[in-house]
Amino acid sequence: MSSMEFSLHISLVSFLVLLSIVNPLFATKVCNFPAIFNFGASNSDTGGLAASFAVVKSPYGETYFHRPAGRFSDGRIILDFIAQSFGLPYVSAYLDSLGTNFSHGANFATAGSTIKPPSSYPTSLISNVRFSPFYLDVQYSQFKNFIPRTQFIRHQGGIFANLMPHKKYFSEALYTYDIGQNDITAGFFGNMTVQQVIATIPDIVNNFSANIKKIYNLGARSFWIHNTGPIGCLPLILANFPSAEKDEYGCAKEHNEVSQYFNHRLKETLAQLRKDNPDLAITYVDIYSAKFSLFQDPKKYGFEKPHVACCGYGGEYNYNVNVSCGSTINTNGTENLVGSCGKPSVRIVWDGTHYTEAANKVVFDKIATGAFTDPPVPLNMACHRSFTKEL
Ligand SMILES: *[C@@H]1O[C@H](CO)[C@@H](O)[C@H](O)[C@H]1NC(C)=O
Ligand SMILES: *[C@@H]1O[C@H](CO)[C@@H](O)[C@H](O)[C@H]1NC(C)=O
Ligand SMILES: *[C@@H]1O[C@H](CO)[C@@H](O)[C@H](O)[C@H]1NC(C)=O
Ligand SMILES: *[C@@H]1O[C@H](CO)[C@@H](O)[C@H](O)[C@H]1NC(C)=O
Ligand SMILES: *[C@@H]1O[C@H](CO)[C@@H](O)[C@H](O)[C@H]1NC(C)=O
């Protein structure tokens, strides 16, 4: 062996040794998450708000469940696809007390949830825009109580024991978050200027990250954190702020810039959390870009009328904040159902604020690969801090 070959050999060995030390994924293993615990708002609600307040009406759920299933879509939401990808049952809403099975997780999200307490926001100018009392700190309290109470029930035995998660699942589970959009709309609908909304964001993001830290302190180790979507592409914004300047894809530019600012702060804050906690596997998921790509090139994904709600009523966007999907409207003395466009599979937007199952599936397929995450970790590797495809 020549000395050059020898030193090459040495450096290769030390490189491999180094890699296996800094990169726990050297022997890459798929994560077997036995449970999912989710926190968030309507984009990940699987029945929390519906169990507590307004029932979600038909035609919600028409595509997949063939009945309203507490979700704000015509079918499955991203969280459903996440659960399905691990062979886990759909995540049951914590607030749903009727026949619910928590053995593989629980969902604390409710539609209308904010990160900050809703009382910290100005009253909405639009009476139909209201926020959920189950804001993020409340979801934390519910989860904190959930751990000892479920363990008590398990130990007690009897018919409820098997409906509760195993103790070790709390450290092995995947913890997912999808929240933030309502904090941003709270500002816009509270008559704040774009600059005023932007000024509120650092505090909102700090509150978000403090919440994640508290869940970590309860034993959670693997996090999958969705950022906030391109709100300016939705009828909710386009119809309510008709004078907003549009970008080349027909989305409200400044509203999207606020979402992007939120995301920029969130990404930085999560990177800091990751740095401070070596045993924390936290993945930032760029839902914004995954969703935005649908509006950039709807045809590519088989979608038409990208900014028009499938289920809604009136105007250019088939959306009126006073007339919700599934309600009835009196026109010229006859009651008409505000129903579905009939083909949600070729639409992106379901009800003006939320996405169709078809769009949710495309977004899920994009994010699951790791192409939209920081670090670039695929969903099934999210228990690891980093990931190398091959050497
Ligand atoms: C709860 O769900 C799990 C997973 O789907 C299932 O194995 C278990 O039998 C269910 N428990 C009861 C009591 O139905
Ligand atoms: C909203 O803000 C504008 C500009 O600051 C102000 O002129 C208007 O009166 C406000 N409207 C309401 C209902 O507060
Ligand atoms: C979030 O902010 C609220 C009030 O603005 C505060 O009461 C709460 O403790 C904060 N949450 C966290 C986790 O820091
Ligand atoms: C919604 O209802 C409010 C109060 O009745 C009204 O002022 C507003 O113009 C309505 N908005 C639309 C878009 O119809
Ligand atoms: C209601 O009736 C008026 C007068 O007949 C008609 O012009 C209008 O188009 C009708 N509106 C709807 C929504 O059918």
Side-chain angles (χ1 to χ4, degrees):
M1 197 185 264
S2 79
S3 69
M4 203 176 107
E5 265 174 328
F6 181 72
S7 64
L8 240 179
H9 181 75
I10 291 288
S11 59
L12 185 65
V13 167
S14 52
F15 174 69
L16 291 180
V17 167
L18 192 72
L19 245 188
S20 64
I21 293 166
V22 298
N23 186 354
L25 246 175
F26 190 62
T28 304
K29 262 170 107 183
V30 165
C31 311
N32 283 316
F33 297 115
I36 296 173
F37 296 101
N38 180 70
F39 304 86
S42 56
N43 285 325
S44 63
D45 186 351
T46 53
L49 195 82
S52 318
F53 297 103
V55 167
V56 178
K57 292 180 187 156
S58 178
Y60 281 95
E62 66 171 7
T63 299
Y64 185 78
F65 299 100
H66 307 298
R67 61 179 172 84
R71 288 155 175 81
F72 291 81
S73 180
D74 60 307
R76 285 163 290 181
I77 58 172
I78 294 171
L79 182 63
D80 293 323
F81 292 117
I82 291 177
Q84 228 174 298
S85 76
F86 292 111
L88 294 171
Y90 296 135
V91 190
S92 298
Y94 166 77
L95 290 165
D96 190 355
S97 47
L98 304 175
T100 309
N101 188 336
F102 295 118
S103 59
H104 294 277
N107 185 3
F108 299 86
T110 67
S113 288
T114 45
I115 295 167
K116 298 283 288 183
S119 60
S120 47
Y121 292 114
T123 322
S124 176
L125 298 180
I126 294 168
S127 60
N128 274 18
V129 176
R130 277 186 233 102
F131 296 110
S132 164
F134 306 105
Y135 61 98
L136 199 53
D137 283 322
V138 175
Q139 296 181 24
Y140 164 78
S141 303
Q142 291 173 327
F143 177 69
K144 188 175 182 231
N145 293 331
F146 182 87
I147 303 174
R149 290 185 57 211
T150 55
Q151 294 318 294
F152 177 77
I153 293 166
R154 265 184 78 86
H155 295 140
Q156 214 177 20
I159 56 169
F160 298 117
N162 292 330
L163 298 171
M164 303 298 144
H166 198 286
K167 187 177 182 196
K168 67 176 187 189
Y169 288 3
F170 289 105
S171 59
E172 294 173 355
L174 180 65
Y175 289 77
T176 54
Y177 280 73
D178 192 313
I179 196 163
Q181 185 167 307
N182 293 322
D183 293 82
I184 294 171
T185 48
F188 289 133
F189 287 106
N191 203 27
M192 283 183 178
T193 64
V194 166
Q195 274 62 42
Q196 286 171 326
V197 179
I198 283 180
T200 64
I201 284 176
D203 180 47
I204 295 169
V205 171
N206 288 342
N207 212 252
F208 190 178
S209 126
N211 185 283
I212 294 168
K213 186 72 199 293
K214 282 165 72 175
I215 298 283
Y216 165 82
N217 287 339
L218 294 176
R221 286 299 172 268
S222 301
F223 288 86
W224 180 260
I225 316 282
H226 292 176
N227 72 5
T228 195
I231 190 177
C233 301
L234 300 175
L236 174 74
I237 294 298
L238 294 169
N240 283 311
F241 301 93
S243 60
E245 190 195 332
K246 310 292 189 304
D247 68 10
E248 58 186 308
Y249 307 111
C251 300
K253 224 175 142 185
E254 285 193 319
H255 293 80
N256 273 352
E257 279 164 12
V258 174
S259 302
Q260 285 173 299
Y261 180 64
F262 175 95
N263 293 340
H264 162 76
R265 297 291 299 218
L266 179 63
K267 189 176 179 183
E268 277 188 346
T269 308
L270 299 188
Q272 190 61 46
L273 264 184
R274 194 180 301 118
K275 215 167 150 192
D276 295 345
N277 303 283
D279 59 345
L280 169 60
I282 189 162
T283 309
Y284 164 86
V285 186
D286 188 6
I287 283 278
Y288 181 99
S289 298
K291 285 181 172 172
F292 194 66
S293 58
L294 305 187
F295 296 101
Q296 283 176 301
D297 196 356
K299 281 205 187 80
K300 179 176 172 188
Y301 305 98
F303 294 126
E304 56 189 42
K305 301 184 184 171
H307 304 290
V308 181
C310 172
C311 185
Y313 178 83
E316 188 182 349
Y317 304 106
N318 193 35
Y319 179 81
N320 180 325
V321 74
N322 296 329
V323 187
S324 52
C325 170
S327 66
T328 52
I329 181 165
N330 191 315
T331 40
N332 287 351
T334 49
E335 290 282 310
N336 292 304
L337 174 74
V338 178
S340 166
C341 61
K343 256 187 124 179
S345 62
V346 297
R347 296 297 193 84
I348 300 172
V349 180
W350 166 243
D351 62 1
T353 306
H354 308 103
Y355 290 73
T356 59
E357 169 173 299
N360 285 331
K361 179 67 168 57
V362 175
V363 173
F364 168 78
D365 287 342
K366 282 177 173 288
I367 60 172
T369 62
F372 289 83
T373 60
D374 175 50
V377 174
L379 175 62
N380 66 2
M381 299 281 171
C383 60
H384 304 295
R385 277 170 64 94
S386 57
F387 169 76
T388 345
K389 260 196 191 106
E390 59 212 340
L391 274 174

